Amino acid sequence: MKAFFITGAALVADSQKNGSAKVRRARGRPRDWHDKTAQNTIKSLDRAMAVLEYLSQSQGLPLTRIAADMKLSPATVYRILVTLEGRGLVECDSDDQVWNIGPGAFAIGARFLRRTSLVDRARPIMRRLMETTGETANLGVEKEGSVLFLSQVETHAAIRAFFPPGTLSPLHASGIGKALLAEMDDIWIKSFLSSGPLEKYSDKTITQADELLRELQNIRERGYSFDNEERNVGMRCVAASVYGTNGEAVAGISVSGPTSRISASSIESLSSAVIDAAHNLTLAIGGIRSQGREPAVETRTGTDN
């Protein structure tokens, strides 16, 4: 896979004119590249993208509901949906007269995943993690205050967790989310906590800021996070962070499964396997392991499936 990088503006000498250094724009960027004001925004396109994003979060909606929720006229929303439908980004169920995300949106998202080696590098490591633990392995990243799941390798067991790529989960109520939160700096965490109340999903969801801060400190000390039915009753998750080239947490890897299999007595062995997988993925993407517990064993980091 080819990688493309856009460099910053380069200084070049122009001795034939006046001998002074001039700034040359990087190709593909207009002069007002950094100007994000309304004059450089295509309002109709922005509105269409808003409709597409809303539909992706609440699929199977009729035209009138979309228009009402977005405070737009049905005629405007209809024109947007028909235009997006022409590109395969949305589709309409002719029987129920409801709109859903189309295959074209998935194709674009899949191309985004291929842009980075993270998912490709993670697949064999996640597969070995699933085979070692017998539980579903997951990969996720932080996106605008939530966990975005990028990939999953499902266990063969009849009862299993299911987080298809593109699923969003709350940071404070998921294994990967809490693992990533624990790696954020104090300013980021303070901003996250001040953005609104922590939503309660079960009796075990952490909704108090001081309790969550204590939980994050415990995660830093032991090197992994534990979701104890905090998002879904009957399901548990063990997760650890994956680090990038500067030692920052760029993703999280986890195993998830029912409480009948992920018991208190299995946490130690599961956490060791997850930490090892996170460490191997860190190495596979050229990252630097942050300070913390060293992996219990060295495992292979190849790219076999």
Side-chain angles (χ1 to χ4, degrees):
M1 181 183 294
K2 294 183 179 179
F4 298 90
F5 301 91
I6 300 178
T7 60
L11 291 175
V12 293
D14 187 4
S15 57
Q16 294 183 353
K17 291 184 178 181
N18 54 20
S20 62
K22 291 187 176 181
V23 177
R24 184 177 61 198
R25 290 184 289 112
R27 292 181 178 178
R29 294 184 178 183
R31 294 184 182 277
D32 52 359
W33 170 260
H34 295 291
D35 186 356
K36 308 297 183 182
T37 56
Q39 65 178 356
N40 284 324
T41 300
I42 303 175
K43 293 183 179 180
S44 58
L45 178 59
D46 184 64
R47 188 162 49 238
M49 292 300 98
V51 170
L52 180 63
E53 183 178 15
Y54 176 77
L55 191 60
S56 72
Q57 298 170 351
S58 307
Q59 293 201 55
L61 296 178
L63 170 66
T64 52
R65 169 70 182 279
I66 300 172
D69 289 351
M70 300 201 67
K71 295 180 174 55
L72 297 172
S73 71
T76 297
V77 174
Y78 179 73
R79 288 195 298 270
I80 290 173
L81 291 173
V82 169
T83 302
L84 295 175
E85 185 181 31
R87 293 287 181 174
L89 297 176
V90 302
E91 55 187 14
C92 181
D93 187 319
S94 58
D95 294 329
D96 298 331
Q97 291 297 304
V98 295
W99 292 86
N100 293 279
I101 288 295
F106 173 80
I108 293 174
R111 294 185 193 114
F112 165 76
L113 293 180
R114 291 198 298 270
R115 189 189 71 178
T116 174
S117 64
L118 175 63
V119 174
D120 293 335
R121 296 283 185 172
R123 291 296 294 181
I125 295 173
M126 293 170 63
R127 185 169 298 281
R128 289 196 296 273
L129 178 60
M130 183 276 291
E131 293 170 348
T132 299
T133 64
E135 301 297 345
T136 296
N138 312 285
L139 177 73
V141 297
E142 186 277 329
K143 178 177 173 58
E144 298 178 356
S146 298
V147 176
L148 173 65
F149 286 93
L150 299 181
S151 184
Q152 182 179 67
V153 176
E154 293 185 67
T155 178
H156 303 301
I159 302 176
R160 55 186 180 269
F162 182 58
F163 303 101
T167 299
L168 290 173
S169 185
L171 283 177
H172 71 286
S174 65
I176 290 179
K178 291 195 296 182
L180 294 175
L181 259 180
E183 297 293 333
M184 301 297 185
D185 59 40
D186 292 342
I187 296 177
W188 199 100
I189 295 175
K190 182 178 180 180
S191 175
F192 171 76
L193 292 175
S194 63
S195 63
L198 299 175
E199 187 170 352
K200 186 179 183 66
Y201 297 95
S202 77
D203 291 339
K204 296 185 178 181
T205 305
I206 299 175
T207 58
Q208 299 301 314
D210 56 348
E211 184 181 354
L212 181 60
L213 291 174
R214 287 194 297 270
E215 171 73 355
L216 298 182
Q217 183 56 38
N218 290 334
I219 293 170
R220 297 183 191 106
E221 293 173 358
R222 67 187 178 224
Y224 69 90
S225 68
F226 178 46
D227 169 12
N228 185 22
E229 302 181 83
E230 295 161 39
R231 179 64 174 88
N232 297 295
V233 176
M235 301 299 292
R236 287 175 175 153
C237 173
V238 180
S241 293
V242 176
Y243 302 96
T245 55
N246 296 318
E248 77 284 11
V250 296
I253 195 167
S254 72
V255 291
S256 52
T259 55
S260 59
R261 293 200 303 265
I262 301 184
S263 60
S265 60
S266 67
I267 297 301
E268 183 175 355
S269 61
L270 288 175
S271 63
S272 293
V274 170
I275 290 173
D276 292 341
H279 173 66
N280 287 337
L281 183 52
T282 295
L283 296 178
I285 62 175
I288 301 173
R289 184 178 175 83
S290 179
Q291 293 182 354
R293 185 172 70 82
E294 287 301 314
V297 295
E298 284 295 328
T299 55
R300 294 176 296 126
T301 60
T303 58
D304 58 305
N305 287 306

